[in-house]
Amino acid sequence: MLLDYHPEQLTELMRSMGQPDYRARQLAAWLFQKMAAGFEEMRDLPLSLRRSLQEVAVVGQPVVVYRQVSSQREAEKFLLQYPDGQRVECVLMTYRHGRSLCVSTQAGCRMGCRLCASTLGGLARNLSAGEIFGQLAAVTREKQLPVTHLVLMGSGEPLDNLEQVERFLLLVTSEFGPQISWRRITVSTCGLVPGILALARRGWPLTLAVSLHAPDDQLRSQLMPVNKKYPLPELMGACREYVRSTGRRITFEYTLLAGVNDTPAHAAALVRLLKGLLCHVNLIPYNEVPERPFKRSRRMQEFCRSLKLGGVPATVRRSLGGDIDAACGQLRRRGPR
């Protein structure tokens, strides 16, 4: 699959086919900038070369199986299928500042977070860097508009597929790719400490979003099994190291669940946990999943005020796509019910 090739590998491929090096640059432009889905589109390559490529390689871009638009037309969900039949979902969100694509990094998820639909079927497999890029390519082709921002918050845990995620990030920010700014990229994690420390060492100026959802170990372990392996003291230590190494503010995602994590006592505990750290809390209205017992909290604004009064910056996230099961925590690799 050519979407998984480095530029150097494309050069080697062209040389093996008796072609000059500049053909590799042309091929890379078609794959990673013009988002071509097939060799027949690559009009500045000789017909003989295009025919030869069809015999030895595939582009590997996924096919749009289903597309669903929210009632407010601010969110659009795409169900995509890869050549091996595996499916994932991604969501395009339209804001005043641009178009943000939420991509999946795994087919399914093995983290077991109790708030989320993506983990209900477990992990099918990791996605390669080219398969993650294929989501961007397929949506760009479908919309005929460039994506300006990327969020790695779809199905899967990005830091559980760190090698391929890093390759994807280098691709989309590179001169031979779409050149999306690092500062327009957000990577989400449920709290995999080794991955956070690895990103800290990289020093890339992206935004790290850590799903917190509870201010203490007992409750967080109930909601997020990963906390049993990487409890809050260890997680917060990694977050402090990330801020120290990168100078970047961390976003903490906190989904408010009625009667579970939304009381004044929870807000006070969250202030104690985060005060003094360069961070911002993103309070998320819970998007209900039939298999989960939770309900959306009515204390969003009250909880937000408590954090601000305690010296912790916070906002309530505007929820998009809930009517098409495209909102946070609702993706599950299937079409409409």
Side-chain angles (χ1 to χ4, degrees), residues 96-108:
R96 287 192 299 272
H97 62 260
R99 289 168 296 279
S100 181
L101 184 66
C102 177
V103 299
S104 295
T105 55
Q106 297 176 310

Side-chain angles (χ1 to χ4, degrees), residues 1 3-4 32 35 60-62 80 82 88-90 101-107 125-140 150-169 171-172 178 185 187:
M1 184 176 89
L3 288 182
D4 272 325
F32 303 120
M35 316 293 187
Q61 200 175 115
L80 305 174
Y82 293 105
V88 300
E89 288 174 308
C90 61
L101 184 66
C102 177
V103 299
S104 295
T105 55
Q106 297 176 310
R125 66 172 175 84
N126 285 334
L127 299 181
S128 70
E131 288 175 324
I132 302 171
F133 183 87
Q135 297 168 56
L136 170 62
V139 171
T140 300
L150 284 171
V151 290
L152 281 66
M153 290 185 178
S155 293
E157 162 57 55
L159 303 190
D160 191 36
N161 188 20
L162 183 59
E163 180 181 351
Q164 295 302 316
V165 164
E166 288 187 336
R167 285 187 58 195
F168 166 73
L169 294 173
L171 170 60
V172 295
I185 297 174
V187 175

Side-chain angles (χ1 to χ4, degrees), residues 112-117 119-120 219 222-223 255-261 286-297 329 332:
C113 299
R114 292 185 62 211
L115 294 73
C116 184
T119 195
L120 286 169
L219 178 56
Q222 293 173 14
L223 298 175
T255 300
L256 282 167
L257 309 171
V260 176
N261 64 354
Y286 179 63
N287 301 298
E288 295 184 11
V289 175
E291 296 88 343
R292 303 303 195 190
F294 307 114
K295 299 295 181 184
R296 180 175 290 196
S297 173
R332 57 172 74 203

